[in-house]
Amino acid sequence: MSRDGQMALVAFLQAQNCSNYPGSWRHPATMQDYLGAEYYQRIARTLEAGCFHMAFFDDRLAMPDILGDDHAETVRHGIRAVKLDLVSILTAMGLATRHLGLGATYSTTYYEPFHVARVFATLDHLLGGRVAWNVVTSLNDSEARNMGAAAHLEHDLRYDRADEFLEVVLGHWDSWEEDALVQDRASGLFADPAKVRRLDFEGRWFRSRGPFTVPRTPQGRPVLIQAGQSGRGQRFAARWGELIFVIQPQLEAARRAWRAFKDQVASAGRDPGRVRVCPAIYVILGETEAAAAEKRALIESLARPVDGLALLSEVLNVDFSKKGLDEAFTDEELAGITGLQALRDRVVAQSGKRNPTLRDFVEISGRGTIREFPVFCGTAPRVAEEMQAWFEQEACDGFVIAATHMPGSYEDVVRLLVPELQRRGLFRRGYQGTTLRENLGLPRARPFDWRAPGGG
Ligand SMILES: Cc1cc2nc3c(=O)[nH]c(=O)nc-3n(C[C@H](O)[C@H](O)[C@H](O)COP(=O)(O)O)c2cc1C
C-alpha cells in the first residue's frame, strides 16, 4: 500500500448510545436514533461524500460493569451501556453507499473461526468487496462471563490462540480458487471440484475441516484491521494487520513507533508499504479559532468522573471502586492487570513512577474524556496543518477520526476539513476503485500469500 502522498481517513464508529466519547450523548446536537438503521446510513452517506476510506466499528461483548461489580452507574449515565450487533449495521450502511469501506470488530476469543470466516466473506460478497475485519482478542472478565467462560484467557495466550484463529479464517477464505465457479447451464458444471478444497486444519486450539461454503470474495478476502499495542500484540499485528489502529499521544513518540512498527512488518517478511498505521484523533472544527474553542469547551463540559473510572476498570479488567484516587498500585496489582497492558505500561512510563496512583491512570489515560486521543482543534487550515505534520513526518499513514458528537463531528470534517486536505494535495478527491483494497491502494489478495514470507 503506497502512501502516494495521500493519507487514509477512517471513521471510528460505535453501534451504541454515544460515540467513543461517553459524554457525547449529552451533547445537544447528538442524534438519539442509534437504534434505527437511518442513523448509521446517514453517517455512511456523509462519510462517502467526504471520500473516507472506511468506517469501522469497535465492539465489546459486555457493558462496562467491572467497577464495583455493578452495572447501575453504567446504565444510569449511559456509559456505553448499549452495544448493538455489527453485522446487521454494516449491511444497512453498505446498502446505503457504493464505495465506503466498512469494518467490524469481531473477537477471536469468543467466536468460532469458521463462523467468522463465513460472516465476513458473506458481507464482502453482499457489499461488493468493501469489508474489513478488526481482529481483537477482547479484554475483560465481563465478556468472558457473557460468553460462557469463568475468566478471560491470559494475555499472551489470547494472541497464540488468535494466530491459529487467523490461519483457519484465511485458510477458509483461500480455499476456493478465483475461477472455481463455472455455472454453465449447458454442461451442468456448477463449480470445478479441483478448485474447492478442504482445509483440514488441526491445531492446538481449533479444528476445522471445510470445505468452506462461500466462494472467494470480490477483493480476494476482507481487509484485516488490528490494534494490538503490547509487544506480543504488535508481533501479531505485524504478521496479519493491513490497517493498524494505534493510540499515540504525541508526534515524536508516534514517529518512533511508526518506524519501529514498519521495521517489524519487514522482519515478518511483509512489505511495510502495504500496511497503514493510523492513530486515533478527535477533531473539533470552527470557522474561527474562537468558535472552535467554544465548541471544545461545551464538549469537555459533558464528561463525568464516573465515565472515566468505569471505562478504565473495563479496559484494564480491574475493579477500581475500592481504591482512593491518590493510592498507589502495588507491584502485585500492576501485574494483575490483564486487559490493556500497553495502557498500564504507558501510565508507568509517563508518570515516571514505578507504582502510579489511580489519579495517574485517570489523568494519563484520559479515559472517558476526549483527551484519550490527541485533540486537533481549530479552523480547518490549522487542523489540516497539524495532520500534515504528522503525515509528512512519518508519524502515521492516515488517521482514525473519533467523534465528539454524532453525527455532527463527521459533518464538520466533511464540510470544512476534507476540502482543505484536498487543496493541500493530502487527500484524494474521489474513489479510485470499487473494492476497499483498491481504494486503499492494496493489491487484490492472492490465495495463501500470507503463508509465504514476502507475500505481504
Ligand atoms: C486502539 C485500540 C482499539 C481497540 N479496540 C478494541 C475493541 O473494539 N474491542 C476489543 O475487544 N478490544 C479492542 N482493543 C483491544 C485489543 O484487541 C487487545 O485485546 C488489547 O489491546 C490487548 O492487547 P495488547 O495488550 O496487545 O494491546 C483495542 C485496542 C486498542 C489499542
Side-chain angles (χ1 to χ4, degrees):
M1 189 175 333
S2 108
R3 280 161 62 97
D4 291 338
Q6 301 227 316
M7 58 179 65
L9 286 189
V10 176
F12 184 36
L13 301 184
Q14 289 71 31
Q16 63 193 26
N17 60 302
C18 48
S19 72
N20 182 67
Y21 176 46
S24 67
W25 78 267
R26 294 184 282 269
H27 192 289
T30 284
M31 301 289 290
Q32 297 202 316
D33 54 345
Y34 57 86
L35 294 174
E38 179 53 27
Y39 175 87
Y40 300 97
Q41 292 179 326
R42 194 164 48 223
I43 296 164
R45 284 190 289 260
T46 299
L47 296 171
E48 187 162 271
C51 298
F52 265 63
H53 289 77
M54 184 177 8
F56 98 87
F57 287 84
D58 73 11
D59 200 21
R60 202 75 89 235
L61 297 167
M63 68 167 77
D65 65 352
I66 307 255
L67 186 71
D69 191 21
D70 190 9
H71 60 271
E73 292 294 279
T74 291
V75 171
R76 180 171 297 118
H77 299 290
I79 311 170
R80 305 184 187 164
V82 173
K83 268 297 190 197
L84 304 183
D85 169 68
L86 298 179
V87 171
S88 8
I89 287 172
L90 247 49
T91 309
M93 291 171 81
L95 296 179
T97 49
R98 294 186 51 213
H99 301 287
L100 181 70
L102 291 159
T105 296
Y106 249 55
S107 169
T108 57
T109 301
Y110 296 115
Y111 295 128
E112 269 296 312
F114 186 89
H115 175 64
V116 172
R118 198 161 75 108
V119 163
F120 281 87
T122 302
L123 263 182
D124 209 36
H125 277 291
L126 283 185
L127 304 183
R130 293 190 278 143
V131 171
W133 169 30
N134 180 33
V135 185
V136 300
T137 56
S138 295
L139 287 164
N140 68 35
D141 290 344
S142 302
E143 297 176 289
R145 292 195 182 111
N146 282 349
M147 302 304 281
H152 201 39
L153 200 62
E154 191 267 319
H155 181 272
D156 284 11
L157 272 188
R158 294 206 296 271
Y159 279 110
D160 294 347
R161 195 169 176 282
D163 268 326
E164 214 179 278
F165 195 110
L166 286 192
E167 288 176 33
V168 179
V169 171
L170 272 73
H172 282 311
W173 283 344
D174 285 349
S175 64
W176 283 65
E177 288 184 24
E178 296 276 353
D179 55 351
L181 279 178
V182 180
Q183 302 188 142
D184 181 20
R185 289 193 182 94
S187 68
L189 182 63
F190 173 71
D192 183 346
K195 294 182 176 174
V196 180
R197 294 184 187 86
R198 283 183 180 171
L199 183 62
D200 285 325
F201 187 93
E202 296 217 10
R204 173 177 173 199
W205 306 92
F206 300 107
R207 312 175 89 184
S208 189
R209 194 193 68 175
F212 194 47
T213 55
V214 187
R216 192 162 184 81
T217 78
Q219 54 178 343
R221 57 174 178 262
V223 170
L224 296 180
I225 307 173
Q226 226 288 310
Q229 299 231 314
S230 64
R232 180 66 183 93
Q234 288 198 19
R235 248 195 303 136
F236 180 81
R239 178 173 176 196
W240 301 105
E242 297 176 291
L243 193 135
I244 312 296
F245 177 29
V246 298
I247 299 178
Q248 286 294 345
Q250 47 98 356
L251 188 137
E252 241 343 281
R255 287 184 65 194
R256 284 194 299 274
W258 184 91
R259 181 74 270 151
F261 184 72
K262 294 277 170 157
D263 290 346
Q264 206 169 349
V265 171
S267 305
R270 301 174 64 214
D271 176 359
R274 292 191 192 169
V275 179
R276 285 210 179 196
V277 178
C278 298
I281 56 170
Y282 280 107
V283 170
I284 302 173
L285 294 155
E287 273 81 357
T288 62
E289 292 297 329
E294 203 175 306
K295 280 189 184 176
R296 179 177 185 154
L298 166 65
I299 290 159
E300 287 186 326
S301 74
L302 303 169
R304 301 222 167 123
V306 65
D307 297 347
L309 287 178
L311 294 176
L312 258 181
S313 276
E314 177 204 34
V315 84
L316 295 173
N317 201 23
V318 174
D319 180 4
F320 291 140
S321 61
K322 291 179 191 70
K323 201 144 198 87
L325 255 186
D326 292 306
E327 207 180 318
F329 279 76
T330 63
D331 289 348
E332 202 181 8
E333 284 170 333
L334 288 173
I337 289 177
T338 54
L340 251 191
Q341 294 184 345
L343 176 58
R344 173 198 64 193
D345 299 344
R346 180 149 63 87
V347 173
V348 169
Q350 274 179 243
S351 67
K353 298 176 192 163
R354 177 176 154 166
N355 298 92
T357 62
L358 179 53
R359 192 186 298 279
D360 292 323
F361 270 91
V362 169
E363 287 179 0
I364 292 170
S365 74
R367 277 299 272 178
T369 75
I370 55 169
R371 287 183 303 99
E372 182 174 12
F373 307 145
V375 182
F376 292 179
C377 174
T379 59
R382 172 153 169 192
V383 171
E385 199 171 294
E386 210 162 350
M387 292 169 79
Q388 185 163 5
W390 279 61
F391 182 66
E392 288 181 349
Q393 292 179 42
E394 299 192 331
C396 67
D397 304 300
F399 295 89
V400 175
I401 300 182
T404 55
H405 58 293
M406 287 295 277
S409 271
Y410 296 116
E411 288 166 355
D412 285 355
V413 167
V414 169
R415 183 170 61 88
L416 298 169
L417 181 61
V418 164
E420 181 63 32
L421 293 171
Q422 288 168 333
R423 254 195 300 281
R424 291 168 185 243
L426 292 167
F427 190 58
R428 62 188 183 181
R429 293 175 183 273
Y431 289 95
Q432 292 97 325
T434 54
T435 70
L436 176 58
R437 280 182 189 280
E438 284 164 358
N439 284 317
L440 282 169
L442 277 172
R444 192 183 160 78
R446 285 175 291 107
F448 295 104
D449 52 1
W450 49 275
R451 279 186 183 164

